[in-house]
Amino acid sequence: MTLGVSGVMSRISELQDQLGLNPAPAAPAGATSGTTFASALADATRGGSPGSGVAGPSGGDIVAAAKKYLGTPYVFGGTDPAKGLDCSALVQRAYKDLGVDLPRIASDQARAGRPVASMADAKPGDILAFNSPVDHVGIYVGDNKMIAAPKPGDHVKIQSVYEKPVAIRRVLEDTPAAVLQDISSLRPAGLRTSGGLSGVPYADLFVKAGEKYDVPPKLLAAVAKVESGYDPKAVSPAGAQGLMQLMPGTARGLGVSNAFDPAQAVNGAAKLLSQHLKEFKSVPLALAAYNAGGGAVHKYDGIPPFAETQAYVPKVQKALAALGG
């Protein structure tokens, strides 16, 4: 069942109650605009980080946002819907209405998010890019249809995908239902013991560090699972080290003298995640900051549009769900 914009806004309200955050301002009766949605979503995360809530906008929401501009005249270089839009402005505007920032130029949009292998794997909301070099983009609707601003003299409309795209990009990942857990279950107060971590390597370290830094032990375990597969000797191609894959400079800043020592690594990771959770007040944003750095999260006002980070956050959320988090 697809929630749609109004359904997701209702879910956001529930999450706010569970988190103890201030509720989003009441929307006018019947208001379901992209601006309203993005505002509510931002309030439900860290009060200004749209596009990165626990549920987050879906591909279907992107399609719905784009459909608001059906009939808008095509104007080359146009970015104002009241006057006209070109193809990349339509794509940028639809995503922006839901709080997700994209580049302005079609060729840059064709590198956003992560690649999708083929049209058989495409989902609503994916960006379809055409020609080489890329000079045209649209938003996939489903059933081999897309919404696009085609050419001068035309207007924003739904049309068939008339040729094979040179690139298909997925900016938003659908969050599995299992990950849409009550945020109250992530509260450290409810995870002071190793319950649910039976058989997980280094469970005692996750519990001890989680208690010290007020971080859910299951979240630490999920990060370790994705980062290293619980291998304390792991080294990434970029040079990240140990169980929690800390970069040497980051490790030093956290007071970790040996990232290959599991106890030090978990303690350092817990300290880092605690800082990110307090700063961003959002598990997905804290995970994005752990992967890409807090500066990148601030720069993009949400989960950065890096393929690695876009894939990393849902991976950890899935690992967390598998642990019953």
Side-chain angles (χ1 to χ4, degrees):
M1 177 179 179
T2 302
L3 289 176
V5 173
S6 60
V8 174
M9 289 182 70
S10 176
R11 178 60 177 154
I12 288 171
S13 178
E14 295 173 8
L15 293 173
Q16 287 175 304
D17 291 339
Q18 294 164 358
L19 281 166
L21 297 174
N22 293 326
T32 56
S33 71
T35 301
T36 302
F37 176 86
S39 176
L41 182 61
D43 289 338
T45 53
R46 69 172 177 86
S49 50
S52 50
V54 173
S58 68
D61 293 324
I62 293 297
V63 172
K67 284 182 176 179
K68 294 185 304 179
Y69 301 108
L70 287 171
T72 300
Y74 176 98
V75 172
F76 179 76
T79 59
D80 183 353
K83 299 177 181 179
L85 301 171
D86 63 16
C87 64
S88 56
L90 168 67
V91 173
Q92 184 185 49
R93 170 73 63 161
Y95 274 86
K96 182 65 175 178
D97 283 352
L98 295 182
V100 181
D101 289 327
L102 285 182
R104 169 68 180 91
I105 305 302
S107 58
D108 292 333
Q109 292 176 0
R111 295 190 293 269
R114 70 169 179 86
V116 174
S118 68
M119 284 299 298
D121 301 309
K123 293 183 179 181
D126 288 350
I127 298 173
L128 307 183
F130 300 90
N131 306 322
S132 184
V134 172
D135 60 9
H136 185 57
V137 287
I139 297 173
Y140 189 56
V141 174
D143 194 27
N144 203 46
K145 303 285 186 181
M146 66 178 181
I147 183 168
K151 60 184 184 299
D154 212 332
H155 56 270
V156 176
K157 63 184 181 182
I158 295 176
Q159 60 181 152
S160 295
V161 180
Y162 51 83
E163 64 182 54
K164 181 180 178 181
V166 297
I168 306 171
R169 308 295 295 191
R170 182 163 301 154
V171 176
L172 300 177
E173 297 289 347
D174 291 333
T175 306
V179 178
L180 299 180
Q181 72 275 14
D182 290 339
I183 297 304
S184 57
S185 69
L186 292 178
R187 287 175 176 164
L191 293 167
R192 296 291 187 190
T193 69
S194 59
L197 291 181
S198 177
V200 174
Y202 308 105
D204 57 333
L205 297 182
F206 298 137
V207 172
K208 183 178 180 180
E211 192 168 280
K212 180 178 181 180
Y213 290 103
D214 208 27
V215 175
K218 290 181 180 179
L219 182 59
L220 290 170
V223 169
K225 172 66 175 178
V226 172
E227 289 285 358
S228 69
Y230 302 122
D231 180 3
K233 298 180 181 179
V235 178
S236 78
Q241 301 174 343
L243 183 67
M244 307 305 289
Q245 289 293 276
L246 300 174
M247 294 295 289
T250 302
R252 287 193 295 272
L254 294 168
V256 176
S257 60
N258 181 7
F260 295 108
D261 173 36
Q264 289 193 50
V266 174
N267 195 69
K271 183 177 181 180
L272 183 60
L273 275 171
S274 176
Q275 294 170 357
H276 291 325
L277 286 167
K278 290 176 182 177
E279 181 176 4
F280 298 110
K281 297 180 175 64
S282 160
V283 172
L285 286 185
L287 293 173
Y290 189 94
N291 177 262
V297 175
H298 281 300
K299 177 180 178 180
Y300 293 99
D301 203 17
I303 298 177
F306 309 146
E308 178 186 335
T309 309
Q310 292 278 334
Y312 176 81
V313 173
K315 281 181 182 178
V316 178
Q317 288 179 306
K318 288 177 184 178
L320 180 61
L323 291 169

